[in-house]
Coordinates of all heavy atoms in Angstrom, one line a residue:
M1 N 0.9 -1.2 0.0 CA 0.0 0.0 0.0 C 0.9 1.2 0.0 O 1.8 1.4 0.8 CB -0.9 0.0 1.2 CG -1.7 1.2 1.4 SD -2.8 1.2 2.8 CE -1.8 1.1 4.2
Q2 N 0.6 2.1 -0.9 CA 1.4 3.4 -1.0 C 0.6 4.5 -0.4 O -0.6 4.6 -0.6 CB 1.6 3.7 -2.5 CG 2.4 5.0 -2.7 CD 2.5 5.3 -4.2 OE1 2.1 4.6 -5.1 NE2 3.0 6.5 -4.5
I3 N 1.2 5.3 0.5 CA 0.6 6.4 1.1 C 1.2 7.7 0.6 O 2.4 7.9 0.7 CB 0.7 6.3 2.7 CG1 0.1 5.0 3.2 CG2 0.1 7.5 3.3 CD1 0.3 4.8 4.7
N4 N 0.3 8.5 0.0 CA 0.7 9.9 -0.4 C 0.2 10.8 0.7 O -0.9 10.9 1.0 CB 0.0 10.3 -1.7 CG 0.4 9.3 -2.8 OD1 1.5 8.8 -2.9 ND2 -0.6 9.0 -3.7
L5 N 1.2 11.6 1.3 CA 0.9 12.4 2.4 C 1.2 13.9 2.0 O 2.3 14.2 1.5 CB 1.7 12.0 3.6 CG 1.5 12.7 5.0 CD1 0.1 12.6 5.4 CD2 2.4 12.1 6.0
A6 N 0.2 14.8 2.2 CA 0.3 16.2 1.9 C -0.1 17.0 3.0 O -1.0 16.6 3.8 CB -0.5 16.5 0.6
G7 N 0.5 18.2 3.2 CA 0.1 19.1 4.2 C -0.3 20.4 3.7 O 0.3 20.9 2.7
H8 N -1.4 20.9 4.2 CA -1.9 22.2 3.8 C -1.9 23.2 5.0 O -2.6 22.9 6.0 CB -3.3 22.1 3.3 CG -3.9 23.2 2.6 ND1 -3.4 23.6 1.3 CD2 -4.8 24.1 2.9 CE1 -4.1 24.7 1.0 NE2 -4.9 25.0 1.9
H9 N -1.0 24.1 5.0 CA -0.8 25.0 6.1 C -0.2 24.3 7.3 O -0.4 24.7 8.5 CB -2.1 25.8 6.5 CG -2.6 26.6 5.5 ND1 -2.0 27.7 5.0 CD2 -3.8 26.6 4.8 CE1 -2.7 28.3 4.0 NE2 -3.8 27.6 3.9
V10 N 0.5 23.2 7.1 CA 1.1 22.5 8.2 C 2.3 21.8 7.6 O 2.3 21.3 6.5 CB 0.1 21.4 8.8 CG1 -0.3 20.4 7.8 CG2 0.7 20.8 10.0
E11 N 3.4 21.7 8.4 CA 4.6 21.0 8.0 C 4.5 19.6 8.4 O 4.1 19.3 9.5 CB 5.8 21.7 8.7 CG 7.1 21.0 8.3 CD 8.3 21.6 9.0 OE1 8.2 22.7 9.5 OE2 9.3 20.9 9.1
I12 N 4.8 18.7 7.5 CA 4.7 17.2 7.8 C 6.0 16.8 8.5 O 7.0 16.7 7.8 CB 4.5 16.4 6.5 CG1 3.2 16.9 5.7 CG2 4.3 14.9 6.8 CD1 1.9 16.7 6.4
T13 N 5.9 16.6 9.8 CA 7.1 16.3 10.5 C 7.3 14.7 10.4 O 6.4 14.0 10.0 CB 7.0 16.7 12.0 OG1 5.8 16.0 12.5 CG2 6.8 18.2 12.1
D14 N 8.4 14.3 10.9 CA 8.7 12.8 10.8 C 7.7 12.1 11.7 O 7.3 11.0 11.4 CB 10.1 12.5 11.3 CG 11.1 12.9 10.2 OD1 10.7 13.1 9.0 OD2 12.3 13.1 10.5
S15 N 7.4 12.7 12.9 CA 6.5 12.0 13.8 C 5.1 11.9 13.3 O 4.4 10.9 13.5 CB 6.5 12.7 15.2 OG 6.1 14.0 15.1
L16 N 4.6 13.0 12.5 CA 3.3 12.9 11.9 C 3.3 11.9 10.8 O 2.4 11.1 10.7 CB 3.0 14.3 11.2 CG 2.2 15.3 12.1 CD1 2.1 16.6 11.3 CD2 0.9 14.8 12.6
R17 N 4.4 11.8 10.0 CA 4.5 10.8 8.9 C 4.5 9.4 9.5 O 3.7 8.5 9.0 CB 5.8 11.1 8.1 CG 5.9 10.2 6.9 CD 7.2 10.6 6.1 NE 7.3 12.0 5.8 CZ 6.7 12.5 4.8 NH1 5.9 11.8 4.0 NH2 6.9 13.8 4.5
E18 N 5.2 9.2 10.6 CA 5.3 7.9 11.2 C 3.9 7.5 11.8 O 3.5 6.4 11.7 CB 6.3 7.9 12.4 CG 6.5 6.6 13.0 CD 7.1 5.5 12.1 OE1 7.9 5.9 11.2 OE2 6.7 4.4 12.3
S19 N 3.2 8.5 12.4 CA 1.9 8.2 13.0 C 0.9 7.8 11.9 O 0.2 6.8 12.0 CB 1.4 9.5 13.7 OG 0.1 9.3 14.1
V20 N 0.9 8.5 10.7 CA 0.0 8.1 9.6 C 0.3 6.7 9.1 O -0.6 5.9 8.9 CB 0.1 9.2 8.5 CG1 -0.5 8.7 7.2 CG2 -0.5 10.5 8.9
H21 N 1.6 6.4 8.9 CA 2.0 5.1 8.4 C 1.6 4.0 9.4 O 1.1 2.9 8.9 CB 3.5 5.0 8.1 CG 3.8 5.7 6.8 ND1 3.7 5.1 5.6 CD2 4.2 7.0 6.5 CE1 4.0 6.0 4.6 NE2 4.4 7.1 5.2
T22 N 1.8 4.2 10.7 CA 1.5 3.2 11.7 C -0.1 3.0 11.7 O -0.5 1.8 11.7 CB 1.9 3.7 13.1 OG1 3.3 4.0 13.0 CG2 1.7 2.6 14.1
K23 N -0.8 4.1 11.7 CA -2.3 3.9 11.8 C -2.9 3.3 10.6 O -3.8 2.4 10.6 CB -3.0 5.3 12.0 CG -2.5 6.0 13.2 CD -3.0 5.4 14.5 CE -2.5 6.2 15.7 NZ -2.8 5.5 16.9
F24 N -2.4 3.7 9.4 CA -2.9 3.1 8.1 C -2.5 1.7 7.9 O -3.2 0.9 7.2 CB -2.6 4.0 6.9 CG -3.5 5.1 6.8 CD1 -3.3 6.3 7.4 CD2 -4.7 5.0 6.0 CE1 -4.2 7.4 7.3 CE2 -5.5 6.1 5.8 CZ -5.3 7.3 6.5
A25 N -1.5 1.2 8.6 CA -1.1 -0.2 8.5 C -2.2 -1.1 9.1 O -2.5 -2.2 8.6 CB 0.2 -0.5 9.3
K26 N -3.0 -0.6 10.0 CA -4.1 -1.3 10.6 C -5.2 -1.5 9.5 O -5.8 -2.6 9.5 CB -4.7 -0.4 11.7 CG -5.9 -1.0 12.4 CD -6.3 -0.2 13.6 CE -7.8 0.0 13.6 NZ -8.3 0.9 14.6
L27 N -5.4 -0.6 8.6 CA -6.4 -0.8 7.5 C -6.0 -1.9 6.6 O -6.8 -2.7 6.2 CB -6.5 0.5 6.7 CG -7.3 1.7 7.2 CD1 -7.3 2.8 6.2 CD2 -8.7 1.3 7.5
E28 N -4.7 -2.0 6.4 CA -4.2 -3.0 5.4 C -4.3 -4.4 6.0 O -4.5 -5.4 5.3 CB -2.7 -2.7 5.1 CG -2.3 -3.4 3.8 CD -1.0 -3.0 3.3 OE1 -0.1 -2.5 4.1 OE2 -0.8 -3.0 2.1
R29 N -4.2 -4.5 7.4 CA -4.4 -5.8 8.0 C -5.9 -6.3 7.8 O -6.1 -7.5 7.7 CB -4.1 -5.7 9.5 CG -2.7 -5.7 9.9 CD -2.5 -6.1 11.3 NE -3.2 -5.2 12.2 CZ -2.7 -4.1 12.8 NH1 -1.4 -3.7 12.5 NH2 -3.4 -3.4 13.6
H30 N -6.8 -5.4 7.8 CA -8.2 -5.8 7.6 C -8.6 -6.0 6.2 O -9.5 -6.9 5.9 CB -9.2 -4.7 8.2 CG -9.2 -4.6 9.6 ND1 -9.7 -3.5 10.3 CD2 -8.8 -5.5 10.6 CE1 -9.5 -3.8 11.6 NE2 -9.0 -5.0 11.8
F31 N -7.9 -5.3 5.2 CA -8.3 -5.5 3.8 C -7.1 -5.3 3.0 O -6.5 -4.2 2.9 CB -9.4 -4.5 3.5 CG -10.0 -4.7 2.1 CD1 -10.7 -5.9 1.9 CD2 -9.9 -3.7 1.2 CE1 -11.3 -6.1 0.6 CE2 -10.5 -3.9 -0.1 CZ -11.2 -5.1 -0.3
D32 N -6.6 -6.3 2.3 CA -5.3 -6.2 1.6 C -5.4 -5.8 0.1 O -4.4 -5.7 -0.6 CB -4.6 -7.5 1.7 CG -5.3 -8.7 1.2 OD1 -6.5 -8.5 0.8 OD2 -4.8 -9.8 1.1
H33 N -6.6 -5.4 -0.3 CA -6.8 -5.0 -1.7 C -6.7 -3.4 -1.8 O -7.2 -2.9 -2.8 CB -8.1 -5.5 -2.3 CG -8.2 -7.0 -2.4 ND1 -7.3 -7.7 -3.2 CD2 -8.9 -7.9 -1.7 CE1 -7.6 -9.0 -3.1 NE2 -8.6 -9.1 -2.2
I34 N -6.1 -2.8 -0.9 CA -5.9 -1.3 -1.0 C -4.7 -1.0 -1.8 O -3.6 -1.5 -1.6 CB -5.8 -0.7 0.5 CG1 -7.0 -1.0 1.3 CG2 -5.5 0.8 0.4 CD1 -6.9 -0.6 2.7
N35 N -4.9 -0.2 -2.9 CA -3.8 0.1 -3.8 C -3.0 1.3 -3.2 O -1.8 1.2 -3.1 CB -4.4 0.5 -5.2 CG -5.1 -0.7 -5.8 OD1 -4.7 -1.8 -5.6 ND2 -6.0 -0.4 -6.6
N36 N -3.7 2.4 -3.0 CA -3.0 3.6 -2.4 C -3.9 4.4 -1.6 O -5.1 4.3 -1.8 CB -2.2 4.4 -3.5 CG -3.1 5.1 -4.4 OD1 -4.3 5.0 -4.4 ND2 -2.5 5.9 -5.3
V37 N -3.3 5.3 -0.8 CA -4.1 6.2 0.0 C -3.5 7.6 -0.1 O -2.3 7.8 -0.1 CB -4.0 5.8 1.5 CG1 -4.8 6.7 2.4 CG2 -4.4 4.3 1.7
H38 N -4.4 8.6 -0.3 CA -4.0 10.0 -0.4 C -4.5 10.7 0.9 O -5.7 10.8 1.1 CB -4.6 10.6 -1.6 CG -4.1 12.0 -1.9 ND1 -2.8 12.2 -2.3 CD2 -4.7 13.2 -1.7 CE1 -2.6 13.5 -2.3 NE2 -3.7 14.1 -2.0
V39 N -3.6 11.1 1.7 CA -3.9 11.7 3.0 C -3.5 13.2 2.9 O -2.4 13.6 2.5 CB -3.1 11.1 4.1 CG1 -3.5 11.7 5.5 CG2 -3.4 9.6 4.2
V40 N -4.4 14.1 3.3 CA -4.2 15.5 3.4 C -4.4 16.0 4.8 O -5.5 15.8 5.4 CB -5.1 16.3 2.4 CG1 -4.8 17.8 2.5 CG2 -4.9 15.9 1.0
L41 N -3.4 16.6 5.4 CA -3.5 17.1 6.8 C -3.5 18.7 6.6 O -2.7 19.3 6.0 CB -2.3 16.7 7.6 CG -2.0 15.2 7.7 CD1 -0.7 15.0 8.5 CD2 -3.2 14.5 8.3
T42 N -4.6 19.3 7.2 CA -4.8 20.7 7.1 C -5.0 21.3 8.4 O -5.5 20.7 9.3 CB -6.1 20.9 6.3 OG1 -6.0 20.2 5.1 CG2 -6.3 22.4 5.9
V43 N -4.5 22.6 8.6 CA -4.7 23.4 9.8 C -5.6 24.6 9.4 O -5.2 25.3 8.5 CB -3.4 23.8 10.4 CG1 -3.7 24.7 11.6 CG2 -2.6 22.6 10.9
E44 N -6.7 24.7 10.0 CA -7.6 25.9 9.8 C -7.9 26.5 11.1 O -8.7 25.9 11.9 CB -8.9 25.5 9.1 CG -8.7 25.1 7.6 CD -10.0 24.8 7.0 OE1 -11.1 24.8 7.6 OE2 -10.0 24.4 5.8
K45 N -7.3 27.6 11.4 CA -7.4 28.3 12.7 C -7.2 27.3 13.9 O -6.1 26.8 14.1 CB -8.7 29.0 12.8 CG -8.8 30.2 11.9 CD -10.1 31.0 12.1 CE -10.1 32.1 11.0 NZ -11.3 32.8 11.0
L46 N -8.2 26.9 14.6 CA -8.0 26.0 15.7 C -8.3 24.5 15.4 O -8.0 23.7 16.2 CB -8.9 26.4 16.9 CG -8.7 27.8 17.5 CD1 -9.7 28.1 18.5 CD2 -7.3 27.9 18.0
N47 N -8.7 24.3 14.2 CA -9.1 22.9 13.8 C -7.9 22.3 13.0 O -7.3 22.9 12.1 CB -10.3 22.9 12.8 CG -11.6 23.3 13.6 OD1 -11.7 23.1 14.8 ND2 -12.5 23.8 12.8
Q48 N -7.6 21.1 13.4 CA -6.6 20.2 12.8 C -7.4 19.2 12.0 O -8.1 18.4 12.6 CB -5.7 19.5 13.8 CG -5.2 20.4 14.9 CD -4.0 21.2 14.4 OE1 -3.2 20.7 13.6 NE2 -3.9 22.4 14.8
I49 N -7.4 19.2 10.7 CA -8.2 18.4 9.8 C -7.4 17.3 9.1 O -6.3 17.6 8.6 CB -9.0 19.2 8.8 CG1 -9.8 20.3 9.5 CG2 -9.9 18.3 7.9 CD1 -10.3 21.3 8.6
A50 N -7.8 16.1 9.2 CA -7.2 15.0 8.5 C -8.2 14.4 7.6 O -9.3 14.1 8.0 CB -6.7 13.9 9.4
E51 N -7.9 14.3 6.3 CA -8.8 13.6 5.3 C -8.0 12.7 4.4 O -6.9 12.9 4.2 CB -9.7 14.6 4.6 CG -8.9 15.7 3.8 CD -9.9 16.7 3.2 OE1 -10.9 16.3 2.5 OE2 -9.6 17.9 3.3
A52 N -8.7 11.7 4.0 CA -8.0 10.7 3.2 C -9.0 10.0 2.2 O -10.2 9.9 2.4 CB -7.5 9.6 4.1
T53 N -8.4 9.7 1.0 CA -9.1 8.9 0.0 C -8.4 7.6 -0.1 O -7.2 7.6 -0.4 CB -9.2 9.6 -1.3 OG1 -9.8 10.9 -1.1 CG2 -10.0 8.9 -2.3
V54 N -9.1 6.5 0.1 CA -8.5 5.1 -0.1 C -8.9 4.6 -1.4 O -10.1 4.4 -1.7 CB -9.0 4.2 1.1 CG1 -8.4 2.8 0.9 CG2 -8.6 4.8 2.4
H55 N -7.9 4.3 -2.3 CA -8.2 3.7 -3.6 C -8.1 2.2 -3.5 O -7.0 1.7 -3.1 CB -7.3 4.2 -4.6 CG -7.3 5.7 -4.8 ND1 -8.3 6.3 -5.5 CD2 -6.6 6.7 -4.2 CE1 -8.1 7.6 -5.5 NE2 -7.1 7.9 -4.6
M56 N -9.2 1.4 -3.8 CA -9.1 0.0 -3.8 C -9.5 -0.5 -5.2 O -9.7 0.3 -6.1 CB -10.2 -0.5 -2.8 CG -9.9 -0.1 -1.4 SD -11.1 -0.7 -0.2 CE -12.5 0.4 -0.6
N57 N -9.4 -1.8 -5.4 CA -9.7 -2.3 -6.7 C -11.2 -2.0 -7.1 O -12.1 -2.5 -6.5 CB -9.6 -3.9 -6.7 CG -8.1 -4.3 -6.4 OD1 -7.2 -3.5 -6.6 ND2 -7.9 -5.5 -6.0
G58 N -11.3 -1.0 -8.0 CA -12.7 -0.7 -8.5 C -13.5 0.2 -7.6 O -14.7 0.4 -7.8
N59 N -12.9 0.7 -6.5 CA -13.7 1.6 -5.6 C -12.8 2.5 -4.8 O -11.6 2.3 -4.8 CB -14.5 0.6 -4.6 CG -15.6 1.3 -3.9 OD1 -15.9 2.5 -4.3 ND2 -16.2 0.7 -3.0
E60 N -13.4 3.6 -4.3 CA -12.6 4.4 -3.4 C -13.5 4.9 -2.3 O -14.7 5.0 -2.4 CB -11.9 5.6 -4.1 CG -12.8 6.5 -4.9 CD -12.0 7.6 -5.5 OE1 -11.0 7.3 -6.2 OE2 -12.4 8.8 -5.4
I61 N -12.9 5.1 -1.1 CA -13.6 5.5 0.1 C -12.9 6.8 0.6 O -11.7 6.9 0.5 CB -13.4 4.4 1.2 CG1 -14.2 3.2 0.8 CG2 -14.0 4.9 2.5 CD1 -14.0 2.0 1.7
H62 N -13.7 7.8 1.0 CA -13.2 9.0 1.5 C -13.8 9.3 2.9 O -14.9 9.0 3.2 CB -13.7 10.2 0.5 CG -13.1 11.5 0.9 ND1 -11.9 11.9 0.6 CD2 -13.7 12.5 1.6 CE1 -11.7 13.1 1.1 NE2 -12.8 13.5 1.7
A63 N -12.9 9.9 3.7 CA -13.4 10.3 5.1 C -12.6 11.5 5.5 O -11.5 11.8 5.0 CB -13.2 9.1 6.0
K64 N -13.2 12.2 6.5 CA -12.6 13.4 7.0 C -12.9 13.5 8.5 O -14.0 13.1 8.9 CB -13.3 14.6 6.3 CG -12.8 16.0 6.7 CD -13.4 17.0 5.8 CE -13.0 18.4 6.2 NZ -13.6 19.5 5.3
A65 N -11.9 14.0 9.2 CA -12.0 14.1 10.7 C -11.3 15.3 11.1 O -10.3 15.7 10.6 CB -11.5 12.9 11.4
E66 N -11.9 16.0 12.1 CA -11.2 17.2 12.7 C -11.3 17.2 14.2 O -12.2 16.7 14.8 CB -11.7 18.5 12.0 CG -13.2 18.7 12.1 CD -13.6 20.0 11.3 OE1 -13.5 21.1 12.0 OE2 -13.9 19.9 10.1
N67 N -10.2 17.8 14.7 CA -10.1 17.9 16.2 C -9.1 19.0 16.5 O -8.4 19.5 15.6 CB -9.6 16.6 16.7 CG -9.7 16.5 18.2 OD1 -9.0 17.1 19.0 ND2 -10.7 15.7 18.7
A68 N -8.9 19.4 17.7 CA -7.9 20.4 18.1 C -6.5 19.8 18.0 O -5.6 20.6 17.9 CB -8.2 20.9 19.5
D69 N -6.4 18.5 18.1 CA -5.1 17.9 18.0 C -5.0 17.0 16.8 O -5.8 16.2 16.5 CB -4.9 17.0 19.3 CG -3.6 16.2 19.3 OD1 -2.7 16.5 18.5 OD2 -3.4 15.4 20.3
M70 N -3.9 17.2 16.0 CA -3.7 16.5 14.7 C -3.7 15.0 14.9 O -4.2 14.2 14.1 CB -2.5 17.0 14.0 CG -2.3 16.4 12.6 SD -3.6 16.8 11.5 CE -3.1 18.4 10.9
Y71 N -3.0 14.5 16.0 CA -2.9 13.1 16.2 C -4.3 12.5 16.5 O -4.5 11.3 16.0 CB -1.9 12.8 17.3 CG -0.5 13.2 16.9 CD1 0.1 14.4 17.3 CD2 0.3 12.3 16.1 CE1 1.4 14.7 17.0 CE2 1.6 12.7 15.7 CZ 2.1 13.9 16.2 OH 3.4 14.3 15.8
V72 N -5.1 13.2 17.2 CA -6.5 12.7 17.5 C -7.3 12.7 16.2 O -8.0 11.8 15.9 CB -7.2 13.6 18.5 CG1 -8.6 13.2 18.7 CG2 -6.4 13.5 19.8
S73 N -7.1 13.7 15.3 CA -7.7 13.7 14.0 C -7.3 12.5 13.2 O -8.2 11.9 12.5 CB -7.3 15.0 13.2 OG -7.8 16.2 13.9
I74 N -6.1 12.2 13.2 CA -5.6 11.0 12.4 C -6.3 9.7 13.0 O -6.7 8.9 12.2 CB -4.1 10.9 12.4 CG1 -3.5 12.1 11.7 CG2 -3.6 9.6 11.8 CD1 -2.0 12.3 11.8
D75 N -6.3 9.6 14.3 CA -7.0 8.4 14.9 C -8.4 8.3 14.5 O -8.9 7.3 14.1 CB -6.9 8.5 16.4 CG -5.5 8.2 17.0 OD1 -4.6 7.7 16.2 OD2 -5.3 8.5 18.2
L76 N -9.1 9.5 14.6 CA -10.6 9.5 14.2 C -10.7 9.1 12.7 O -11.6 8.4 12.4 CB -11.2 10.9 14.5 CG -11.3 11.3 15.9 CD1 -11.7 12.8 16.0 CD2 -12.3 10.4 16.6
L77 N -9.9 9.7 11.9 CA -9.9 9.4 10.4 C -9.8 7.9 10.2 O -10.5 7.3 9.4 CB -8.8 10.2 9.7 CG -8.7 9.9 8.2 CD1 -9.9 10.4 7.5 CD2 -7.4 10.6 7.7
V78 N -8.7 7.3 10.8 CA -8.5 5.9 10.5 C -9.6 5.0 11.1 O -10.0 4.0 10.4 CB -7.1 5.5 11.2 CG1 -7.0 3.9 11.1 CG2 -6.0 6.1 10.4
S79 N -10.2 5.4 12.2 CA -11.4 4.6 12.7 C -12.6 4.7 11.7 O -13.3 3.7 11.5 CB -11.7 5.0 14.1 OG -12.8 5.8 14.2
K80 N -12.8 5.9 11.2 CA -13.9 6.1 10.2 C -13.6 5.2 8.9 O -14.5 4.5 8.4 CB -14.1 7.5 9.8 CG -14.7 8.4 10.8 CD -14.8 9.8 10.3 CE -15.5 10.8 11.3 NZ -15.6 12.1 10.8
L81 N -12.4 5.3 8.4 CA -12.0 4.6 7.2 C -12.1 3.1 7.5 O -12.5 2.3 6.6 CB -10.6 4.9 6.8 CG -10.5 6.3 6.1 CD1 -9.0 6.6 5.9 CD2 -11.2 6.3 4.8
D82 N -11.7 2.6 8.7 CA -11.7 1.2 9.1 C -13.1 0.7 9.0 O -13.4 -0.4 8.5 CB -11.1 1.1 10.5 CG -10.8 -0.4 10.8 OD1 -10.3 -1.1 9.8 OD2 -10.9 -0.8 11.9
K83 N -14.1 1.4 9.5 CA -15.5 1.0 9.5 C -16.0 0.9 8.0 O -16.7 -0.1 7.7 CB -16.4 2.0 10.2 CG -16.3 2.0 11.7 CD -17.1 3.0 12.4 CE -16.8 3.1 13.9 NZ -17.4 4.3 14.5
Q84 N -15.6 1.9 7.2 CA -16.0 1.9 5.8 C -15.4 0.7 5.1 O -16.1 0.0 4.2 CB -15.7 3.2 5.1 CG -16.5 4.3 5.6 CD -16.3 5.6 4.8 OE1 -16.0 5.6 3.6 NE2 -16.3 6.7 5.5
V85 N -14.1 0.4 5.3 CA -13.4 -0.7 4.6 C -14.0 -2.0 5.0 O -14.3 -2.9 4.2 CB -11.9 -0.6 5.0 CG1 -11.2 -1.9 4.6 CG2 -11.2 0.5 4.2
L86 N -14.3 -2.2 6.3 CA -15.0 -3.4 6.8 C -16.3 -3.6 6.2 O -16.7 -4.7 5.8 CB -15.0 -3.5 8.3 CG -13.7 -3.7 9.0 CD1 -13.8 -3.5 10.5 CD2 -13.0 -5.0 8.6
K87 N -17.1 -2.5 6.0 CA -18.4 -2.5 5.4 C -18.3 -3.0 3.9 O -19.0 -3.8 3.5 CB -19.1 -1.2 5.5 CG -20.5 -1.1 5.0 CD -21.0 0.3 5.3 CE -22.4 0.5 4.7 NZ -22.9 1.9 4.8
Y88 N -17.3 -2.4 3.2 CA -17.1 -2.7 1.8 C -16.7 -4.2 1.7 O -17.2 -4.9 0.8 CB -16.0 -1.8 1.3 CG -15.6 -2.1 -0.1 CD1 -16.5 -1.8 -1.2 CD2 -14.4 -2.6 -0.4 CE1 -16.1 -2.1 -2.5 CE2 -14.0 -2.9 -1.7 CZ -14.9 -2.7 -2.8 OH -14.6 -2.9 -4.1
K89 N -15.8 -4.6 2.6 CA -15.3 -6.0 2.6 C -16.5 -6.9 2.8 O -16.6 -8.0 2.1 CB -14.3 -6.2 3.6 CG -13.6 -7.5 3.6 CD -12.5 -7.6 4.7 CE -11.9 -9.0 4.8 NZ -11.0 -9.1 5.9
G90 N -17.4 -6.6 3.7 CA -18.6 -7.4 3.9 C -19.5 -7.5 2.7 O -20.0 -8.6 2.4
K91 N -19.6 -6.4 2.0 CA -20.4 -6.4 0.7 C -19.8 -7.4 -0.3 O -20.4 -8.1 -1.0 CB -20.5 -5.0 0.2 CG -21.5 -4.1 0.9 CD -21.6 -2.8 0.2 CE -22.5 -1.9 1.0 NZ -22.5 -0.5 0.4
L92 N -18.4 -7.3 -0.4 CA -17.7 -8.2 -1.3 C -17.9 -9.6 -1.0 O -18.1 -10.5 -1.9 CB -16.2 -7.8 -1.3 CG -15.8 -6.6 -2.1 CD1 -14.3 -6.5 -2.0 CD2 -16.2 -6.6 -3.5
N93 N -17.9 -9.9 0.3 CA -17.9 -11.3 0.7 C -19.3 -11.9 0.5 O -19.5 -13.2 0.4 CB -17.5 -11.5 2.2 CG -16.0 -11.3 2.3 OD1 -15.3 -11.4 1.4 ND2 -15.6 -10.9 3.5
K94 N -20.4 -11.1 0.4 CA -21.7 -11.6 0.2 C -21.9 -12.1 -1.2 O -22.7 -12.9 -1.5 CB -22.8 -10.4 0.5 CG -23.0 -10.2 2.0 CD -24.0 -9.1 2.2 CE -24.2 -8.8 3.6 NZ -25.1 -7.7 3.8
H95 N -21.2 -11.5 -2.1 CA -21.4 -11.9 -3.6 C -20.5 -13.0 -4.0 O -19.6 -13.4 -3.6 CB -21.0 -10.7 -4.5 CG -22.0 -9.5 -4.3 ND1 -23.3 -9.6 -4.7 CD2 -21.8 -8.4 -3.7 CE1 -23.9 -8.4 -4.4 NE2 -23.0 -7.7 -3.7

């Protein structure tokens, strides 16, 4: 799985990059057909926003999370994506 990480009004530090890679590894454990992920970290005044688009075979999932702390935003984002990925995986297994 390839992760493209971009920052908007925020510098992507090594610890942020490491956090994103660690959290998104959890998604790959649940579903191994993920091709790549595009993550954008944004700071708007007091909000730290993390959003991502997950590209899978024939489908993509998008989620967005915001919090006062960027690391919490990343955690929330991954948990939202995890639910969506598991839901998608469940649909595939039904067919």
Side-chain angles (χ1 to χ4, degrees):
M1 172 175 68
Q2 179 185 355
I3 298 177
N4 301 323
L5 185 58
H8 192 70
H9 299 295
V10 64
E11 182 183 340
I12 305 296
T13 62
D14 288 340
S15 60
L16 272 177
R17 186 177 306 280
E18 184 64 33
S19 175
V20 167
H21 283 276
T22 304
K23 302 291 181 187
F24 276 88
K26 179 176 134 182
L27 281 182
E28 198 170 31
R29 279 199 305 267
H30 286 163
F31 190 64
D32 57 354
H33 296 295
I34 297 172
N35 297 329
N36 70 355
V37 181
H38 186 72
V39 182
V40 180
L41 305 178
T42 309
V43 175
E44 289 179 1
K45 295 186 181 173
L46 299 175
N47 291 333
Q48 312 280 324
I49 303 167
E51 56 186 311
T53 305
V54 177
H55 300 277
M56 298 178 286
N57 296 341
N59 199 4
E60 58 180 49
I61 295 173
H62 182 82
K64 181 177 180 178
E66 53 185 274
N67 193 287
D69 181 4
M70 185 61 83
Y71 293 99
V72 174
S73 294
I74 293 168
D75 286 348
L76 292 171
L77 174 69
V78 170
S79 104
K80 285 180 180 182
L81 286 170
D82 196 36
K83 287 177 190 169
Q84 289 185 36
V85 164
L86 289 174
K87 184 177 174 183
Y88 176 72
K89 184 179 176 183
K91 285 181 182 176
L92 282 182
N93 289 338
K94 285 182 182 176
H95 296 288

